[in-house]
Amino acid sequence: MATGRGARAIARQQITAEILTEAKAQLARDGASGLSLRSIARTLEMSSSAIYRYFASRDELLTALILDAYNDLGATVEAAEAAVERSDLRGRWLAATRATRAWARAEPHAYALIYGTPVPNYVAPQSTISAASRVPIVLVGILIAAAREHPMDPSSGPTGVLDPGVLDTIDQLAQVPEAKIIHGIRAWNELFGIISFELFGHLVGSVADTEAYFEQFCHETADRLLT
Amino acid sequence: MATGRGARAIARQQITAEILTEAKAQLARDGASGLSLRSIARTLEMSSSAIYRYFASRDELLTALILDAYNDLGATVEAAEAAVERSDLRGRWLAATRATRAWARAEPHAYALIYGTPVPNYVAPQSTISAASRVPIVLVGILIAAAREHPMDPSSGPTGVLDPGVLDTIDQLAQVPEAKIIHGIRAWNELFGIISFELFGHLVGSVADTEAYFEQFCHETADRLLT
DNA sequence: TCTCAATCAAGAGCACCGCTCACAATTTAG
DNA sequence: CTAAATTGTGAGCGGTGCTCTTGATTGAGA
C-alpha cells in the first residue's frame, strides 16, 4: 500500500489538492457554513460521491481547512516577526500582533473557522495542535528574549496555573518567571478577544476607531511585557 | 390587526412560546448548528410548514434565541452585581465578571451563539443591541462609581477612539476620563477573550487551572480599573 | 503476458434540511 | 350572516451529507 511514487498516487495527490483549493475558495467566499461537498464536486465536474474517495466526510475536509488556516496564519505572523531586527523587541511584538490582526481581517472566514465557534463534533488531531501553536510560540519567543535582557527571578509568582507541559516543550521558558508567562498568555487572549470583537461586530457603537484602539493595545502590552 | 386580547391571540402567543422553549432546549443540547425547524415541529406534533406561521425563517428563530441569550446573560450578571454592597466596588467587579464566566460555562451553546462566529446572513435588529448592552452597562456602571470616588480630569487621554454615541447614551460617562473608558472596554474584550478560549479549547496545553487563571484576571483588572 | 486485486468514478437512493404553495378548516370582524 | 383573515395540512422543490452497487481502469505479481 502507498507505493508513494506511482502515477496513480500522483494523480490522487493532485485531485486532493484541487478539492482543497476549491474548498478554500468556497470558505473565503461563503464561510464554513456555506461549504458543501456537492458544490465542490460540481465545480470540479465530478460526481458527488467521488469526493468521498479523497475526504471521508465533510468534517475531514473541514479539519484540513482548519490545519491550513492555522499554518497560513502561523507562517504570516512568523514572517512578519522575523523581518524585524532581532534586538528590537518592541518592534517584534508590534509586528507579530499587527500581522495577526491583518491576517484576520484579510481572511475573516478562515479566522472564524479556527477562533470562532468550534465545529460540532470536531476534535483537534495532533497535527493541528502544533500548527495552532505557531503564533503563541512566536509571541513567547519575544518574551524569552525580553527575559534574557532583563533577567529576573524565575521562581517568583504563583504556581499551578500553567500546564507543566508547556514548560517542557519550550525549555527556555524556564528562564521566564511564571507571572510573566501568565501575562503573556493574557495578552494573547486579549489579542484574540479584540480581533474577534472587531470582526464579529461587537465593537460597533463603542469603539469608533478600531485601528487606534488596537494600536493602543499592542503598544501597552509591549510596555508591560517587555520591560 | 393584533387586537391583543382575543383567545386567538393568546393561543398564538402560547404556541410561539412552546416553539421557543423547544428551540432553546435543542440549542442547549446540540448547539445552533443542530437546530432544525422540522425537528421542533415533530416534537411539538405539528406539521413542519405550520412552524412558518410563527417564525418566518430559521434565521428569525435564531434571532429570537440570540435575543433571549443576551437577556439571560444580562439578567444573570445584573443580579449578581446588584447583590453586592454598593460601596464594595471591587466586589461588584468580581461578581459581574465571575457571573459572566459562570453563565458561559453553564450555557456554552448559548454563549457560542452570541459571542462565537456570527450566523451568516444575520444583521442585529435594534431589539438585540439593547439586550447586548446589558453586560457592558453593568461594567461601565462600576467604572463610573469608581470615578466618582477618585475624581480625575475627564479631558485627559487620547480622543477619537471611542464612538461619540456611547458618551451620549450613558451621560455619566462624561465624568470618566476617556483613557479609563478605553481600559474598561479592553477589560471587557479580555473577559470574553478568556472565556472564549476556555470554552473553545484554546487554553488546553497552556493553562491548566483555568479557575485560578480567571481569578488572576478579574482581580488584576479590578486593581487597574477601580483605583 | 495474462490475471487478479485494488482503486476509482458514476449513479441511484436514503434521510434529512429550509422553504413554498395550494387547499381546507376555522375563527373573527363587519 | 357573510366575507375576510388566520391557522393547519400535505405535497413538493431543490438542496445537503452520506452509502451502496455497479462497472471501468489501472498496476503489480505469477
Side-chain angles (χ1 to χ4, degrees):
Chain A
M1 84 252 299
T3 52
R5 240 173 45 80
R8 194 67 166 263
I10 290 180
R12 175 170 238 285
Q13 210 170 340
Q14 179 172 341
I15 294 183
T16 305
E18 279 174 25
I19 294 174
L20 221 48
T21 300
E22 174 60 24
K24 283 168 68 176
Q26 281 199 14
L27 173 68
R29 199 184 323 119
D30 308 319
S33 68
L35 190 143
S36 115
L37 295 186
R38 286 184 115 109
S39 100
I40 292 175
R42 228 173 289 129
T43 71
L44 257 49
E45 284 178 317
M46 60 171 89
S47 73
S48 63
S49 54
I51 296 277
Y52 291 85
R53 298 275 176 199
Y54 301 89
F55 292 93
S57 68
R58 186 179 185 273
D59 266 22
E60 195 169 300
L61 215 201
L62 236 15
T63 300
L65 290 177
I66 288 172
L67 186 69
D68 194 88
Y70 272 129
N71 279 320
D72 193 20
L73 169 62
T76 302
V77 172
E78 283 168 7
E81 195 263 354
V84 178
E85 172 69 38
R86 300 331 281 155
S87 65
D88 182 9
L89 297 179
R90 182 190 196 79
R92 288 165 64 185
W93 178 263
L94 296 180
T97 53
R98 285 171 180 160
T100 303
R101 173 169 176 261
W103 182 87
R105 287 163 58 96
E107 310 273 4
H109 291 303
Y111 176 88
L113 183 62
I114 55 184
Y115 288 107
T117 310
V119 335
N121 304 327
Y122 178 77
V123 277
Q126 181 63 30
S127 56
T128 65
I129 86 164
S130 73
S133 304
R134 293 174 67 167
V135 168
I137 281 178
V138 168
L139 299 181
V140 111
I142 305 174
L143 269 195
I144 291 172
R148 197 160 298 173
E149 253 188 32
H150 312 279
M152 322 164 180
D153 180 16
S155 65
S156 69
T159 56
V161 174
L162 255 40
D163 192 306
V166 81
L167 291 99
D168 296 344
T169 51
I170 313 176
D171 52 347
Q172 299 109 313
L173 217 51
Q175 311 295 338
V176 187
E178 186 166 357
K180 206 81 177 177
I181 303 175
I182 293 176
H183 278 97
I185 299 180
R186 290 262 310 272
W188 176 53
N189 283 188
E190 188 178 1
L191 172 63
F192 287 92
I194 290 176
I195 292 174
S196 292
F197 265 37
E198 178 183 359
L199 242 56
F200 298 164
H202 292 292
L203 288 183
V204 295
S206 53
V207 175
D209 188 345
T210 55
E211 196 82 26
Y213 179 67
F214 184 83
E215 282 301 306
Q216 194 162 327
F217 153 77
C218 58
H219 276 98
E220 276 199 26
T221 47
D223 289 338
R224 200 175 307 152
L225 291 170
L226 307 177
T227 56
Chain B
M1 81 254 300
T3 50
R5 240 172 48 77
R8 194 65 168 263
I10 291 179
R12 174 169 240 285
Q13 210 169 341
Q14 179 172 340
I15 293 182
T16 305
E18 279 175 24
I19 294 174
L20 221 48
T21 300
E22 175 59 24
K24 283 168 66 174
Q26 281 200 13
L27 173 68
R29 198 185 321 120
D30 308 317
S33 67
L35 189 144
S36 113
L37 295 186
R38 287 184 115 111
S39 97
I40 293 174
R42 228 174 288 128
T43 70
L44 259 47
E45 286 179 315
M46 59 170 88
S47 71
S48 63
S49 52
I51 296 277
Y52 290 85
R53 300 282 178 200
Y54 300 89
F55 292 92
S57 69
R58 187 179 184 271
D59 267 21
E60 195 167 291
L61 215 201
L62 235 16
T63 300
L65 289 178
I66 288 172
L67 186 69
D68 194 87
Y70 273 129
N71 279 319
D72 193 19
L73 169 62
T76 302
V77 172
E78 284 168 7
E81 194 263 355
V84 178
E85 173 69 41
R86 301 329 283 153
S87 64
D88 182 9
L89 296 178
R90 181 187 197 80
R92 287 164 65 185
W93 178 263
L94 296 179
T97 52
R98 286 171 178 160
T100 302
R101 174 170 177 262
W103 182 87
R105 286 162 59 95
E107 309 273 4
H109 291 302
Y111 176 87
L113 183 63
I114 55 183
Y115 288 107
T117 310
V119 336
N121 304 326
Y122 178 78
V123 277
Q126 181 63 30
S127 56
T128 65
I129 85 163
S130 72
S133 304
R134 291 175 68 169
V135 168
I137 281 177
V138 168
L139 298 181
V140 111
I142 305 174
L143 268 196
I144 291 172
R148 199 159 297 173
E149 253 187 30
H150 312 280
M152 322 162 180
D153 179 16
S155 65
S156 70
T159 55
V161 175
L162 256 40
D163 192 308
V166 81
L167 290 100
D168 297 344
T169 51
I170 313 176
D171 53 346
Q172 298 110 311
L173 219 48
Q175 311 295 337
V176 187
E178 186 167 359
K180 206 84 178 175
I181 302 175
I182 293 175
H183 278 97
I185 299 180
R186 290 261 311 273
W188 176 53
N189 282 189
E190 189 178 1
L191 172 63
F192 286 93
I194 290 176
I195 293 174
S196 293
F197 266 36
E198 178 182 359
L199 242 55
F200 298 163
H202 293 290
L203 289 182
V204 294
S206 55
V207 175
D209 188 344
T210 55
E211 195 82 25
Y213 180 67
F214 184 83
E215 282 301 306
Q216 193 163 328
F217 153 77
C218 60
H219 276 97
E220 277 199 25
T221 48
D223 289 340
R224 198 175 307 151
L225 291 170
L226 307 177
T227 56

